[in-house]
Amino acid sequence: MARIPTRSNDWGFPRWRGYGAGREAANVRLCDRHGCEEPGDCPAPKSPNSPDRWYFCQAHAAEYNRGWNYFEGLSAEEAAAREADERRDAGGYQQSRHQAWAGPGDGTRSRDEMRALEVLELEVDTSFDDVRLAWRRLAKSNHPDVRPGDAEAAKRFQAIQAAYEVLRAAEDARTWKPRAEA
């Protein structure tokens, strides 16, 4: 009985080829542009509200998108009516309402820190050095010694102090390192 020749790239553990990597050829869809031999991995709609798609390479997809007119063949009134109708149903593309309470930021700052930054008139991604500079500037301009008898300035000064304390405590917690035992 003749032995069937087998060859393998697997020489035991660890595997030398990736999981799922087989020897059979992978099917590659070619670009739908006539004469193009590039892989067609960019889908593009054939017509509005149609599930049919063209599959172009990146260069031909860019060319197709430059000339694409969603409202082609419609009068101005029909195009405006369709746009209004589709905007009514485009709620899924807006920011989700249930997460709107969080407000701006990347999630690294608490709600109290965000309020403190508003009091100090700073952006969300401000460094602590900028926080310190803004605190000094605002504290000097609203200090009771600079504006004696101004109750509104005294209130602003207290809010500025509280905001700075919140941001300082958060920065200390963010950069805390244990003391070395002596």
Side-chain angles (χ1 to χ4, degrees):
M1 182 152 155
R3 184 170 173 223
I4 299 173
T6 60
R7 261 183 113 170
S8 174
N9 290 346
D10 294 332
W11 299 93
F13 187 80
R15 290 173 54 112
W16 294 103
R17 62 187 162 98
Y19 290 102
R23 292 182 179 185
E24 59 277 349
N27 291 333
V28 176
R29 183 180 188 119
L30 293 179
C31 179
D32 284 337
R33 179 59 63 99
H34 179 70
C36 183
E37 298 294 323
E38 296 293 316
D41 52 3
C42 299
K46 288 187 177 182
S47 64
N49 301 327
S50 172
D52 296 334
R53 301 277 187 249
W54 296 109
Y55 288 89
F56 294 121
C57 64
Q58 193 168 7
H60 289 126
E63 179 185 334
Y64 181 79
N65 287 338
R66 273 193 299 274
W68 171 256
N69 181 2
Y70 184 78
F71 300 111
E72 186 175 356
L74 299 177
S75 67
E77 295 83 26
E78 291 172 334
R82 176 176 263 181
E83 181 181 6
D85 184 46
E86 290 183 5
R87 283 190 187 267
R88 195 173 313 122
D89 293 339
Y93 295 104
Q94 296 175 354
Q95 181 181 7
S96 58
R97 299 281 185 233
H98 68 278
Q99 293 177 349
W101 62 269
D106 59 357
T108 57
R109 294 191 185 267
S110 70
R111 192 178 308 165
D112 291 336
E113 289 175 81
M114 297 299 284
R115 284 191 205 120
L117 287 170
E118 284 179 22
V119 169
L120 294 177
E121 303 166 0
L122 294 171
E123 296 293 322
V124 176
D125 57 350
T126 303
S127 69
F128 190 70
D129 293 332
D130 294 335
V131 168
R132 188 176 290 123
L133 290 172
W135 167 67
R136 285 185 178 158
R137 176 179 49 82
L138 291 171
K140 282 181 183 178
S141 65
N142 290 295
H143 197 278
D145 290 345
V146 175
R147 294 179 152 187
D150 188 355
E152 190 64 32
K155 268 178 104 172
R156 278 196 305 266
F157 180 76
Q158 288 176 347
I160 291 164
Q161 290 298 104
Y164 178 72
E165 288 300 318
V166 166
L167 292 169
R168 188 177 58 80
E171 183 67 18
D172 288 346
R174 206 173 278 122
T175 59
W176 180 83
K177 294 183 181 114
R179 283 190 285 171
E181 295 293 324

mmCIF file of all heavy atoms in Angstrom, residues 26 37 68 165:
data_model
loop_
_atom_site.group_PDB
_atom_site.id
_atom_site.type_symbol
_atom_site.label_atom_id
_atom_site.label_comp_id
_atom_site.label_asym_id
_atom_site.label_seq_id
_atom_site.Cartn_x
_atom_site.Cartn_y
_atom_site.Cartn_z
ATOM 1 N N ALA A 26 -8.196 31.309 -0.334
ATOM 2 C CA ALA A 26 -9.250 32.178 0.173
ATOM 3 C C ALA A 26 -9.925 32.881 -1.000
ATOM 4 O O ALA A 26 -9.263 33.312 -1.945
ATOM 5 C CB ALA A 26 -8.665 33.205 1.133
ATOM 6 N N GLU A 37 -8.285 44.820 -11.026
ATOM 7 C CA GLU A 37 -7.922 43.530 -10.436
ATOM 8 C C GLU A 37 -7.678 43.625 -8.930
ATOM 9 O O GLU A 37 -7.234 42.661 -8.318
ATOM 10 C CB GLU A 37 -6.664 42.983 -11.126
ATOM 11 C CG GLU A 37 -6.843 42.715 -12.609
ATOM 12 C CD GLU A 37 -7.840 41.589 -12.885
ATOM 13 O OE1 GLU A 37 -7.864 40.619 -12.123
ATOM 14 O OE2 GLU A 37 -8.601 41.715 -13.864
ATOM 15 N N TRP A 68 -21.431 60.576 -6.271
ATOM 16 C CA TRP A 68 -22.701 60.041 -5.786
ATOM 17 C C TRP A 68 -23.643 61.165 -5.380
ATOM 18 O O TRP A 68 -23.261 62.087 -4.675
ATOM 19 C CB TRP A 68 -22.449 59.142 -4.580
ATOM 20 C CG TRP A 68 -23.677 58.701 -3.865
ATOM 21 C CD1 TRP A 68 -24.135 59.185 -2.691
ATOM 22 C CD2 TRP A 68 -24.596 57.694 -4.254
ATOM 23 N NE1 TRP A 68 -25.279 58.547 -2.311
ATOM 24 C CE2 TRP A 68 -25.591 57.613 -3.276
ATOM 25 C CE3 TRP A 68 -24.684 56.851 -5.350
ATOM 26 C CZ2 TRP A 68 -26.646 56.730 -3.347
ATOM 27 C CZ3 TRP A 68 -25.737 55.959 -5.407
ATOM 28 C CH2 TRP A 68 -26.703 55.912 -4.420
ATOM 29 N N GLU A 165 -9.874 72.982 45.233
ATOM 30 C CA GLU A 165 -9.696 71.883 46.195
ATOM 31 C C GLU A 165 -10.145 70.551 45.586
ATOM 32 O O GLU A 165 -9.498 69.526 45.789
ATOM 33 C CB GLU A 165 -10.458 72.171 47.491
ATOM 34 C CG GLU A 165 -9.838 73.253 48.327
ATOM 35 C CD GLU A 165 -8.407 72.926 48.753
ATOM 36 O OE1 GLU A 165 -8.135 71.757 49.134
ATOM 37 O OE2 GLU A 165 -7.553 73.825 48.677
#
